[in-house]
Amino acid sequence: MGAREESRAHLRKAREFVAAAQLEAERELYSAAASSAVLAGINAKDTICLRLTGRTNKSDDHRSAVPELAAVGPAGKALESTFRRLLGLKTAAQYQSAQT
């Protein structure tokens, strides 16, 4: 699969996760909604990087994705702080127990 096709696949996944996040939020499933939003953002980052550079890095450490996004040019740089904040929700949404 070429970069263009791969970017389209990531875009489809990003849109799917956004739709899931919206449904989960409507049902007050906030941790699930945040998790889906994070996954949407990661797939959107992959879409942008693939479209603008023809490649994207795959890593279990998603913090490395922030400088990767910023390095693709003005569009990525403009999204850097938002993407960093979004990734900051990942641990709380996916791994921390709920506080009562």
Side-chain angles (χ1 to χ4, degrees):
M1 177 183 306
R4 190 171 193 83
E5 294 80 19
E6 190 176 353
S7 73
R8 288 182 180 147
H10 280 287
L11 181 58
R12 282 190 297 275
K13 285 176 68 174
R15 288 177 173 158
E16 182 178 335
F17 282 119
V18 165
Q22 291 169 331
L23 290 171
E24 291 156 349
E26 289 170 6
R27 289 168 176 76
E28 298 182 8
L29 301 169
Y30 300 118
S31 292
S35 182
S36 290
V38 169
L39 293 171
I42 292 167
N43 277 282
K45 184 278 303 179
D46 289 336
T47 299
I48 293 165
C49 291
L50 283 160
R51 189 59 84 138
L52 296 178
T53 69
R55 58 183 163 63
T56 188
N57 294 329
K58 303 292 183 183
S59 172
D60 288 337
D61 180 8
H62 289 112
R63 291 173 296 183
S64 66
V66 175
E68 179 190 8
L69 179 62
V72 301
K77 188 68 175 163
L79 294 169
E80 179 182 14
S81 65
T82 300
F83 188 55
R84 180 179 286 109
R85 284 194 324 265
L86 181 67
L87 289 179
L89 299 174
K90 184 178 187 331
T91 299
Q94 295 179 346
Y95 303 111
Q96 292 178 352
S97 61
Q99 295 184 2
T100 56

